[in-house]
């Protein structure tokens, strides 16, 4: 390894890589650039290369990263201004070396190396599926998706993005974000492709689908790193029907060209998930064969195997297809979760369960109570849900005409804190996720003879005989999901235990085994509250 | 007509007919017995006949009632103690004569006559289906079923029955009542068949299925008349699975023997409906062919064509069968109402939508809010619902161990008044019933260009643009279904009308056309509140 290369890498990355999109300070979540790259951190190397012709099309660039017997080949990309980059996310500590291959001599055969060191605090690696119906980080840290929706976060104004980030931080751990732009009202927007002949709002022009606008993607990357620093997975939506520029009906070869470029740029970010489309069935120019093909392009191009799914409007995708890692549904028929798991054998995220808010459209005016209820229903069906929010009622006040949360903006609703509360409850009681089990009369998840979480929904029995199967002793905690209270009941319970319940609907109770039949404790310590 | 016969009839009916079950005073709802029978009133004549052998089996008795060219043949019945009765409900005013036919000479060829006079106030005749998906009384008075469930009302203790009746009166206009007994805890009960060798609780004996216990049926009739006087239809359940005596698995010929006897006794009561069974699919001894057969027996035996349906637990009966007049469902999937109407072409009553209460079973612990919501959902799907209630939480207080409302007892819940409120709203705005119509974005019923009732369920838009199709002017009233408030909005509305709505879920709004495009009023008077 050439020492000068390492120094050059540091400087180059700091100065050049982020300039078009603005330099990302460490406080904003940019990993410190160093010759020592942390595990699941972002290694990046830049090269100067040809600016003539069409570098996006004419120049190929790949790099093979090697550690011991293992080699990972990644695709580089042209970032404009004669700059070519290769990014890599090392998943094992130790020495890595690389060698480039290119169709042009000045980018071919470039070599280098770096040390991968242990991950820093808070970096648990990318999220993968685990335990059949759940998720975890690459280092084994549990990950329970309690996400939200901020479609325009990656390309919206700085103000909206800052508001959005402030609302998400500490509240949600995933957000659905669009890679292609959504029309955001008046004014021109930064766009992924060069356009000519557009009007003053940037509409009606002719797209140059042979090139990209690197500044657009640099902005996206800055925002993805902001999410990463805030502990938020970026559920990146690759296609969507909310389009003003023609991107939902690009020629087939442009779709692939776009996908390869995006994956080359973004796949080394550990917090990226791939959502092939939002409401794919509303994108009328594409067929099921196209969607399946997009999955396979992404699967082939992404060396890290980030999570992949696709989100529907009315026609549910067959999530049993092998390239799909989990289900990403738009519905709230949680009662079908068990049959869906049986059919798909994968985790289920109800990624849109309608939105909290007060707009006129049916999907956007849930009360906070109803949104909270839906998260609990998803949970006690062994699945997950995502939040969204759209309010108009404040549009005559000081926040008139600001964009809604689910594009990107201020968080106004009251369900978010309840969702975080539920997330904390789940994280307190399980390390792997909660599963439905056979024979529960009321909705319940957990592990027989270990843990039970009941949610009563609209039922309000004055008392209930809980079937605490097994031989141990359980402690019980009543939970009010909306008031966000936890009331530990006195004593312990075993076997069939009749317990008086609050005379109100939408209550929950959790039983956690604390000792076996002989009174021997089964845990080293009581469950910990979140810090 | 023999004047002495008329006098004898009056006296006999008053003194004899009701003695075993107790004489029903007029204040309790017994129509005054008179030679002048009101339209849809109960004409009854008794004859003395043989007491030897088995009069229930050995003696046939029918009577042909004639008015002009029309003759209606009805079956008489043996009422014990050598008394045979024939009942008839005249449906047309004017002179009626009758002549009996019997297998025994002393009952054969008896003749008589009576005058049918106009119905008294409050007597609108039996309920029939009307306007395809709705109901009305025989005199054309609108009837919207807002019923409840008091399974044991007909045979429970006087105290429970009195409590039950007090709760129903003025609140509900139908109740589901069992004809065969339900076990009501400790102690023996009055039973429809003689039994020998039973224990002290009346269990374990041998039923004599060749005879009936007239006192049992006399009690039922007294209670059916109490319901009638209170304006309540008796939705009479002929079979049910809640049995301690073997009645759910009687021999086929006993089933028919029982049905013919019940129909002979009860069909002349104008407020009778026939529910072939409750939860028929839980009565394992019977087949679908049996159920169909019971329908046909009832249809054949009942000269008046009282409403006929059957109520399921899990397996919905094919209500398109011609002998079934309306659907009587156990479910709350109201969103399927339109497809059910398309399949069955009949009115739908969701006769069990779970119960308000607080018991441990899933079906018996809805909040009043949820029960109220379900009634509104049924209404805005163009269908109807029935109430039920079971509470245990008061079982340590002064009402400990009393039976629950849905057997018969005190009304304790808070949904009943809200259901009555909804009934009043419906009755205020329509004379025929509310129908879903095509193209409503939120749940809405009514008649385009005349009346619209929207219910927003869990949606809470801050405002909504109501599509008031047509050319007229509408007045608008906001309704809070649980608070039971009606707030008339100022002015009138026409065409697409955007209206600010309360910032809460479960609200409704009704638009009623008040004038045409030229400002000419379309109603003679504003809608009237119930007296």
């Amino acid at each position: 390894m050439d020492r000068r290369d390492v120094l050059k890498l540091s400087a180059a990355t700091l100065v050049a890589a982020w300039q078009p999109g603005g330099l990302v300070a460490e406080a904003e979540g940019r990993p410190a650039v160093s010759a020592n790259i942390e595990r699941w951190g972002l290694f990046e190397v830049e090269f100067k290369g040809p600016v003539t012709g069409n570098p996006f099309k004419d120049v190929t660039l790949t790099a093979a990263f090697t550690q011991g017997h293992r080699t990972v080949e990644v695709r580089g990309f042209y970032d404009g201004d004669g700059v070519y980059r290769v990014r890599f996310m090392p998943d094992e500590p130790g020495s890595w070396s690389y060698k480039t291959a290119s169709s042009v001599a000045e980018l071919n055969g470039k070599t280098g190396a770096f040390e991968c060191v242990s991950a820093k605090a808070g970096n648990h690696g990318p999220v993968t599926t685990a335990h059949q119906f759940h998720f975890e980080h690459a280092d084994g840290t549990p990950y329970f998706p309690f996400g939200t929706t901020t479609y325009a976060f990656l390309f919206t104004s700085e103000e909206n993005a800052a508001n959005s980030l402030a609302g998400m931080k500490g509240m949600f751990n995933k957000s659905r974000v669009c890679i292609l732009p959504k029309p955001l009202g008046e004014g021109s927007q930064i766009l992924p492709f060069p356009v000519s002949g557009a009007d003053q709002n940037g509409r009606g022009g002719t797209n140059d689908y042979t090139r990209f606008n690197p500044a657009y993607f640099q902005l996206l990357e800055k925002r993805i790193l902001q999410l990463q620093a805030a502990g938020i997975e970026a559920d990146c939506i690759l296609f969507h029907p909310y389009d003003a520029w023609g991107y939902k009906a690009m020629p087939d070869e442009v779709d692939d060209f776009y996908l390869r470029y995006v994956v080359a740029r973004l796949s080394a970010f550990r917090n990226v998930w791939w959502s092939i489309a939002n409401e794919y069935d509303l994108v009328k120019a594409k067929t099921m064969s196209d969607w399946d093909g997009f999955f396979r392009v992404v699967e082939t191009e992404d060396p890290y195997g980030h999570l992949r799914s696709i989100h529907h409007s009315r026609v549910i995708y067959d999530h049993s297809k092998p390239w799909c890692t989990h289900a990403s549904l738009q519905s709230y028929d949680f009662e079908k979760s068990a049959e869906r798991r049986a059919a798909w054998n994968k985790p289920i995220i109800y990624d849109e369960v309608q939105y909290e808010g007060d707009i006129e459209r049916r999907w956007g005016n849930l009360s906070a109570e109803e949104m909270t209820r839906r998260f609990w229903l998803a949970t006690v069906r062994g699945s997950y849900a995502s939040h969204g929010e759209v309010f108009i009622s404040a549009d005559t006040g000081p926040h008139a005409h600001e964009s809604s949360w689910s594009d990107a903006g201020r968080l106004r609703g009251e369900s978010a804190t309840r969702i975080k509360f539920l997330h904390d409850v789940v994280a307190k009681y399980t390390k792997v996720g909660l599963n439905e089990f056979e024979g529960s009369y009321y909705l319940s998840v957990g592990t027989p003879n270990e843990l039970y979480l009941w949610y009563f929904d609209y039922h309000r029995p004055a008392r209930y005989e809980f079937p605490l199967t097994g031989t141990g002793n359980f402690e019980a905690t009543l939970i009010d999901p909306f008031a966000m209270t936890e009331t530990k009941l006195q004593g312990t319970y075993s076997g069939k235990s009749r317990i008086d319940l609050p005379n109100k609907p939408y209550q929950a109770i959790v039983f956690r085994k604390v000792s076996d039949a002989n009174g021997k404790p089964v845990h080293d310590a009581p469950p910990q509250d979140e810090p």
Side-chain angles (χ1 to χ4, degrees), chain A residues 56 70 74 105 195 225 242 247 251 299 326 359 407 410 422-423 454 490 517 519:
Chain A
F56 296 101
R70 185 169 162 230
V74 306
V195 64
L225 285 176
Y242 331 113
Y247 306 141
E299 187 181 32
H326 64 286
I359 69 165
D407 273 340
R410 274 190 317 119
L422 171 58
H423 186 174
W454 266 275
Q490 288 198 317

Side-chain angles (χ1 to χ4, degrees), chain A residues 429 446-454 466-477 488-497 499 509-517 522-523:
Chain A
Y429 289 105
T447 307
N449 202 25
E450 279 185 27
L451 179 80
Y452 301 96
L453 172 65
W454 266 275
F466 294 91
L468 305 176
T469 55
T471 55
N473 302 299
F474 290 78
E475 60 182 24
T477 303
K488 192 165 168 192
L489 301 186
Q490 288 198 317
T492 59
Y493 301 87
S494 65
K496 291 183 179 178
S497 302
I499 294 177
I509 189 168
V510 61
F511 292 90
R512 183 175 170 275
K513 190 169 182 176
V514 289
S515 59
D516 65 17
V522 295
H523 295 281

